[in-house]
């Protein structure tokens, strides 16, 4: 319940304006001059007095800034009433009845006066519960709060520029909401890029500190530093690939040489084996020379025939004798090696 009393003794022109009442911009000079002229001609309309209240021990103007200014221009003291209604509600109700304001402006003014829409926050307050929201759609209040939450304050103001533009009629609430959505997306993208740049710079700082130092000194842009780092990475990768190819070729050549050496050794071994087999077979066939009395007797008949043998087989006597003695000496070892062949 409110109580209102006329207090003509107050100097209304000296009263400070309650913060919520300052949300709405003042009328332009031409419109104030027009109202002032009407007041001069017809007097102040007492249906719309200046509303004031004592707030925390100080008298303040709650409603009627434009009417007060027009009265000052006209040189007339306007009528004043005092209210004990919650000052925020009083301002809100007065502004919500403003026939010249758009629903978007009313929603924005409400959001500026009651910005917190958190669980357990202003929803529990009596002021919030008694808000008159008949002048705008519920979604409009959400749009307005979105604009307030997602934009920085304008210079010398606690509110974002978009909110001030809505209140001044320079843009609609829908336009402010759409612009804020785009700004949020843009800022998120800028933040993503910033973090990506920070990540890239940190990566460059670890791998190529000299490039990071140039970026720190503003002697090289981050994009050029990233490009230079990428080029170094490509060069390093190419060098690593070249070295790997060289190493692979070296190992392949080593393997080829090893296989060739093994092949050649296998061929030599096979040749030695074949020679050994031939020699052993000849030796075994030679056993017939001493295995029977007939052969020994035949040898007795060969006395005096050495020169003929030597001429036919190209042997000298001493060399032939040496070979037979060598065979005699090596027979025990030869028999042992022969046994090992099994």
């Amino acid at each position: 319940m409110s109580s209102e009393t006329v207090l003509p003794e107050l100097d209304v022109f000296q009263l400070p304006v309650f913060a919520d009442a300052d949300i709405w911009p003042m009328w332009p000079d031409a419109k104030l001059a027009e109202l002032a002229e009407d007041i001069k001609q017809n007097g102040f309309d007492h249906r719309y007095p200046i509303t004031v209240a004592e707030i925390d021990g100080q008298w303040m103007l709650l409603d009627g800034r434009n009417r007060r200014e027009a009265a000052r221009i006209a040189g007339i003291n306007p009528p004043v009433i005092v209210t004990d209604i919650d000052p925020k509600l009083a301002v809100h109700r007065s502004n919500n009845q403003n026939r010249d304001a758009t629903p978007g402006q009313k929603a924005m003014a409400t959001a500026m006066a009651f910005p917190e829409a958190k669980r357990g926050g202003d929803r529990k307050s009596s002021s919030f519960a008694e808000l008159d929201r008949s002048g705008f759609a519920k979604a409009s209040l959400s749009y307005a709060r979105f604009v307030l939450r997602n934009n920085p304050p304008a210079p010398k103001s606690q509110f974002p520029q978009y909110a001030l533009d809505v209140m001044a009629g320079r843009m609609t609430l829908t336009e402010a909401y759409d612009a804020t959505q785009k700004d949020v997306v843009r800022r998120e993208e800028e933040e993503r890029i910033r973090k990506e740049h920070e990540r890239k710079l940190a990566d460059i700082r670890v791998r190529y500190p000299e490039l990071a130092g140039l970026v720190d000194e503003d002697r090289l842009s981050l994009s050029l530093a990233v490009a230079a780092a990428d080029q170094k990475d490509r060069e390093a990768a190419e060098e690593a690939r070249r070295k790997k190819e060289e190493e692979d070729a070296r190992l392949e050549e080593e393997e080829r040489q090893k296989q060739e050496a093994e092949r050649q050794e296998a061929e030599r071994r096979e040749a030695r084996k074949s020679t050994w087999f031939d020699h052993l077979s000849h030796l075994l066939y030679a056993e017939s020379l001493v295995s029977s009395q007939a052969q020994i007797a035949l040898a007795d008949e060969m006395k005096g025939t050495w020169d003929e043998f030597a001429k036919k087989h190209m042997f000298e006597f001493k060399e032939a004798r040496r070979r037979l003695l060598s065979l005699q000496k090596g027979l025990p070892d030869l028999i042992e090696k022969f046994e090992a062949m099994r």
Side-chain angles (χ1 to χ4, degrees):
M1 179 68 70
S2 65
S3 62
E4 299 176 347
T5 306
V6 177
L7 295 178
E9 69 275 11
L10 284 177
D11 186 355
V12 69
F13 296 113
Q14 299 300 319
L15 295 182
V17 179
F18 183 57
D20 286 10
D22 244 354
I23 288 175
W24 292 83
M26 290 289 293
W27 287 354
D29 291 344
K31 189 172 182 178
L32 287 172
E34 181 182 348
L35 178 59
E37 184 62 28
D38 181 76
I39 291 175
K40 283 182 181 180
Q41 296 295 327
N42 304 305
F44 199 99
D45 190 340
H46 284 255
R47 293 176 301 172
Y48 306 106
I50 308 301
T51 303
V52 300
E54 186 177 15
I55 303 171
D56 297 328
Q58 182 179 18
W59 288 96
M60 305 186 76
L61 183 145
L62 298 187
D63 180 52
R65 290 176 307 148
N66 291 304
R67 298 193 299 278
R68 181 180 69 170
E69 180 62 18
R72 186 190 65 77
I73 295 173
I76 295 176
N77 286 324
V80 176
I81 61 171
V82 175
T83 181
D84 61 358
I85 297 176
D86 182 310
K88 294 180 74 68
L89 281 177
V91 173
H92 166 72
R93 289 176 179 177
S94 175
N95 290 332
N96 208 35
Q97 294 170 3
N98 186 343
R99 290 174 295 180
D100 295 330
T102 66
Q105 288 174 317
K106 294 177 181 180
M108 180 60 74
T110 302
M112 293 166 77
F114 303 89
E116 298 84 9
K118 301 175 182 178
R119 181 177 299 177
D122 62 348
R123 295 183 184 280
K124 291 185 177 180
S125 69
S126 59
S127 295
F128 186 85
E130 296 177 26
L131 283 181
D132 177 10
R133 280 165 279 190
S134 60
F136 51 85
K138 181 178 180 181
S140 296
L141 184 59
S142 298
Y143 283 10
R145 282 177 167 160
F146 181 84
V147 172
L148 293 175
R149 286 196 307 269
N150 291 282
N151 287 290
K156 299 180 180 180
S157 175
Q158 62 175 314
F159 301 113
Q161 187 60 50
Y162 286 154
L164 300 179
D165 289 343
V166 170
M167 297 308 298
R170 290 187 288 269
M171 67 189 315
T172 67
L173 176 59
T174 299
E175 291 171 341
Y177 177 75
D178 291 342
T180 299
Q181 283 188 312
K182 293 178 181 178
D183 286 349
V184 168
V185 172
R186 174 183 54 79
R187 288 195 294 266
E188 289 176 348
E189 178 64 12
E190 290 174 350
E191 180 65 11
R192 184 193 67 77
I193 293 174
R194 184 189 67 79
K195 289 182 178 180
E196 180 67 12
H197 283 188
E198 286 183 353
R199 184 193 67 76
K200 289 181 178 179
L201 182 58
D203 179 62
I204 292 175
R205 200 178 301 282
V206 171
R207 297 186 294 122
Y208 304 107
E210 70 282 2
L211 292 176
L214 294 175
V215 174
D216 293 338
E217 296 170 5
D218 291 330
R219 295 168 57 191
L220 187 68
S221 67
L222 179 59
S223 60
L224 290 179
V226 170
D230 290 343
Q231 179 62 28
K232 288 179 178 290
D233 287 344
R234 286 191 294 270
E235 292 173 354
E238 178 62 23
E239 179 65 13
R241 183 194 63 77
R242 184 186 63 78
K243 288 184 177 180
K244 184 177 185 303
E245 288 181 352
E246 291 179 352
E247 179 65 11
D248 290 345
R250 184 187 67 79
L251 294 175
E252 184 178 351
E253 178 60 20
E254 286 184 355
E255 181 64 21
R256 187 195 66 77
Q257 292 178 2
K258 177 182 177 182
Q259 292 179 359
E260 178 63 18
E262 291 175 349
R263 185 191 64 78
Q264 292 179 359
E265 177 60 26
E267 288 181 352
R268 287 192 292 269
R269 184 176 182 279
E270 189 65 27
R272 291 194 299 271
K273 183 173 68 174
S274 179
T275 299
W276 164 253
F277 286 175
D278 288 345
H279 290 175
L280 181 60
S281 65
H282 291 161
L283 183 61
L284 293 177
Y285 283 128
E287 181 268 344
S288 61
L289 292 174
V290 295
S291 63
S292 68
Q293 290 298 321
Q295 292 295 333
I296 295 174
L298 180 59
D300 287 341
E301 295 178 6
M302 296 298 111
K303 290 180 180 181
T305 62
W306 172 256
D307 290 340
E308 183 181 353
F309 176 84
K311 181 179 180 181
K312 183 177 181 180
H313 294 283
M314 304 298 290
F315 268 106
E316 292 183 2
F317 181 78
K318 287 183 179 181
E319 176 62 19
R321 187 173 183 277
R322 185 192 67 74
R323 291 192 179 191
L324 288 174
L325 291 176
S326 176
L327 177 61
Q328 181 185 23
K329 182 179 179 181
L331 276 175
D333 287 340
L334 183 60
I335 292 172
E336 182 179 345
K337 301 298 181 184
F338 171 74
E339 292 289 344
M341 289 176 63
R342 290 196 304 175

